[in-house]
């Protein structure tokens, strides 16, 4: 049994293959930090600012013989600085 070739399939380009063009991928946002619930000022305090605040927190903690350690002081310092940035008097 002889097979016949169709002219549309001989040239390598067919209507079916040209109509199957891929759609362009939708642009995605780059993976990164999610928006924080803070105010419009989304800039984190610098390590130097946190270090200085943590120093004073540690000084107070030691003077008053309160429980805690350097890690807790660092986290408290960062929390305070972030709160000050998003507080009622924060710049907009």
């Amino acid at each position: 049994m002889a097979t016949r070739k169709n002219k549309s399939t001989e040239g390598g380009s067919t209507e079916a293959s040209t109509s199957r063009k891929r759609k362009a991928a939708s642009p995605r946002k780059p993976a990164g930090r999610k928006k924080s619930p803070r105010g419009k000022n989304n800039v984190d305090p610098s390590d130097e600012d946190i270090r200085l605040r943590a120093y004073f927190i540690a000084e107070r903690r030691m003077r008053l013989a309160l429980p805690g350690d350097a890690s807790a002081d660092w986290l408290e310092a960062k929390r305070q600085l972030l709160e000050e940035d998003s507080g009622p008097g924060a710049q907009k």
Side-chain angles (χ1 to χ4, degrees), residues 8-27:
S8 63
T9 59
E10 284 181 358
S13 65
T14 64
E15 231 180 271
S17 65
T18 55
S19 65
R20 291 186 194 171
K21 291 182 182 177
R22 288 187 165 197
K23 293 182 180 179
S26 61

Side-chain angles (χ1 to χ4, degrees), residues 6-64:
N6 191 345
K7 285 186 179 182
S8 63
T9 59
E10 284 181 358
S13 65
T14 64
E15 231 180 271
S17 65
T18 55
S19 65
R20 291 186 194 171
K21 291 182 182 177
R22 288 187 165 197
K23 293 182 180 179
S26 61
R28 293 184 178 205
K29 292 182 181 179
R33 294 177 53 160
K34 293 183 179 180
K35 290 183 180 179
S36 65
R38 290 184 276 146
K40 293 184 179 186
N41 185 3
N42 287 338
V43 178
D44 287 336
S46 70
D47 284 351
E48 186 62 33
D49 291 337
I50 297 171
R51 188 176 298 120
L52 184 61
R53 179 68 61 99
Y55 170 80
F56 289 112
I57 291 171
E59 286 288 312
R60 179 180 180 275
R61 178 176 52 80
M62 287 184 223
R63 187 175 60 249
L64 300 175

